[in-house]
Amino acid sequence: MHRRAVRQALESPVPPPKRAPVTRPAPKLGVYRELIDEWLIADLTAPRKQRHTSRRIWQRLVDEHGLEVAETTVRDHVRKRRRALGHAGTDVFVPQVHAPGATAEVDWGEADVRLAGEQTRVHLFFMRACFSGAAFAMASPVETQQAFLEGHALAFDWFGGVFEEVRYDNLGSAVKKVLKGRRRIETDRFVAMRSHYLYESLFTTRGIAGAHEKGGVEGEVGRFRRRHFVPVPAAASIADLNVMLRDASDLDLHRRIAGRPGTVAEQLQIERPLLRALPTAGGFDSTEIASVRVDSKALVTVRQNRYSVPVALAGLRVSAAVGASEIRIDHGGRQVARHERLHGRFKTSAHLDHYLELLRRKPGGLERSLPLAQERAAGRWPACFDELWAALAERYDASTAAAQMVDVLLLCRELGPARVELAVRGTLAAGAVDGRAVAVLARRASGPAAPPAPLTDLAPRLAACDRPEPDLSGYDELIGGQA
């Protein structure tokens, strides 16, 4: 310790204030200060994402003017000049307080996942309670209105009630037209959903400034993505991913938000009894009904994509229920087909089972059919079926082999794919290459096994079968022999 520090301590128990550092001149930067001011003033009218950063200013000074100056020197000067010129500095906000059960916020986010082995970008629907900080997340392949409405139904069910008001930005799924001030013309489906749950909608101002009006859910999107999408998660389907996200939402209830008196779960226990009750009629049905006609290829066109139905419906009109993740097709009051919803345009989803009656009459169309190609691509076509088909083609002609394969597929509808696949493997192992042999094995396996006879009553049964030895003299006389 220096003796000067001891001397200061003897004079006063409080250390003396430190002297402010003397600002040193920057002779190299001095002549370029006016140029930097010109660039900063021009940034006031430039697009927000295309304005100069301190690094960019330093790069231009070095590249365009050959200035040898440290980047930190430029950064310090730019920081001071921005404040002097009136550039927006750090945003300052007024602290807000929210009553329990009063307000929630909704927003969309994005994240990358390994979906069925492929890198896929999915869209994340979030609803966050402003009082407790509890948040519900749902994944969707696209930001459709059906997914938006379905997310509300699942979120309200997860919270166990409905908030008095929900805040949104001006997304197209809810807003048809933005009017002056806070007034909006809402879409019909969104109004129907709000009428079902009976809550008020609030919308932020337009532009980047409006994002600060629902900063809670904006920050939740980033926090949830960093917490549960690092490393990149893997899921077999969107349904499996949503199960993972629901578990993640439940897990986050045990965290504590800085400045809150308790955990999120404890705050949510206070909030849930104050939420409005869910409708007695159940959740809001977000599907849209469309009447479509079945074409000559047993396909219906829904939202510029095509889906198969049984061939018996060709030429008839059917009803298609368009949901966020699936398409359900009904006819005559019963469901005739169900498909995972396709996104994009000009895609086709065809089920092989819908065409079996037609292929029984035209078996030659099976080999190059689109439904068969999609079954193979989805991994639902066992390799043993191809082995059987190749063996049938060697034994019979191509048409007969295809006809027997159609019979095997019809057998799958009757007995189930797993049992028929086992029968095909048994047929190939036995060397009995025939479609009828597959049917025999499959039906034998499907029948109940006869119970074994009890051994206790075996002796009386054998005694009842006793007979005298036969006399063969008549037979010997017939053939000319002697006894």
Side-chain angles (χ1 to χ4, degrees), residues 371-403:
L372 177 58
Q374 292 189 352
E375 290 285 327
R376 284 197 171 109
R380 294 190 294 266
W381 181 264
C384 61
F385 280 24
D386 284 326
E387 296 177 16
L388 177 64
W389 198 345
L392 290 172
E394 290 181 2
R395 183 175 180 182
Y396 306 104
D397 60 282
S399 179
T400 303

Side-chain angles (χ1 to χ4, degrees), residues 72-134:
T72 55
T73 303
V74 177
R75 186 183 299 116
D76 293 340
H77 176 73
V78 169
R79 185 187 304 112
K80 296 176 183 178
R81 294 306 299 160
R82 277 197 172 129
R83 287 185 176 274
L85 293 173
H87 280 248
T90 303
D91 291 331
V92 182
F93 307 100
V94 178
Q96 300 290 304
V97 61
H98 299 278
T103 309
E105 297 171 344
V106 167
D107 198 10
W108 283 99
E110 292 182 345
D112 290 338
V113 298
R114 296 285 299 175
L115 202 61
E118 296 184 2
Q119 190 85 1
T120 307
R121 175 157 294 183
V122 297
H123 300 265
L124 304 175
F125 171 90
F126 285 91
M127 179 180 287
R128 180 183 183 273
C130 293
F131 173 78
S132 63

Side-chain angles (χ1 to χ4, degrees), residues 209-420:
H212 301 309
E213 298 179 14
K214 56 180 184 66
V217 71
E218 293 278 352
E220 176 65 24
V221 172
R223 187 207 64 81
F224 192 94
R225 184 165 48 215
R226 291 187 298 271
R227 174 67 177 82
H228 300 290
F229 284 84
V230 178
V232 176
S237 63
I238 287 290
D240 292 340
L241 179 61
N242 279 323
V243 172
M244 295 168 55
L245 295 185
R246 192 179 186 93
D247 293 340
S249 299
D250 294 337
L251 180 64
D252 283 348
L253 295 179
H254 302 290
R255 69 189 182 95
R256 182 187 292 269
I257 300 176
R260 301 290 180 92
T263 64
V264 174
E266 293 170 351
Q267 297 292 97
L268 186 59
Q269 288 180 356
I270 300 174
E271 188 167 37
R272 270 181 173 154
L274 301 176
L275 296 174
R276 295 178 177 176
L278 292 170
T280 56
F284 180 73
D285 186 8
S286 61
T287 58
E288 294 185 20
I289 306 301
S291 178
V292 291
R293 185 176 294 277
V294 184
D295 63 15
S296 59
K297 294 183 179 179
L299 297 172
V300 296
T301 302
V302 180
R303 302 290 175 87
Q304 297 184 309
N305 292 308
R306 300 195 297 174
Y307 305 88
S308 66
V309 298
V311 293
L313 300 176
L316 302 179
R317 297 196 73 85
V318 294
S319 175
V322 184
S325 57
E326 69 175 13
I327 302 290
R328 190 184 70 250
I329 302 172
D330 301 332
H331 180 71
R334 65 184 182 90
Q335 179 180 305
V336 295
R338 182 186 292 267
H339 294 264
E340 183 179 350
R341 182 174 176 179
L342 300 175
H343 300 285
R345 299 190 301 169
F346 313 130
K347 298 179 181 178
T348 303
S349 173
H351 291 174
L352 187 57
D353 185 72
H354 293 161
Y355 296 88
L356 294 182
E357 286 77 11
L358 179 61
L359 290 172
R360 174 180 278 179
R361 294 185 287 107
K362 300 179 179 181
L366 175 62
E367 184 176 3
R368 295 181 177 84
S369 65
L370 175 63
L372 177 58
Q374 292 189 352
E375 290 285 327
R376 284 197 171 109
R380 294 190 294 266
W381 181 264
C384 61
F385 280 24
D386 284 326
E387 296 177 16
L388 177 64
W389 198 345
L392 290 172
E394 290 181 2
R395 183 175 180 182
Y396 306 104
D397 60 282
S399 179
T400 303
Q404 292 199 20
M405 287 304 301
V406 173
D407 291 337
V408 171
L409 295 175
L410 287 168
L411 200 63
C412 292
R413 177 191 292 177
E414 177 186 350
L415 302 176
R419 181 170 293 170
V420 174

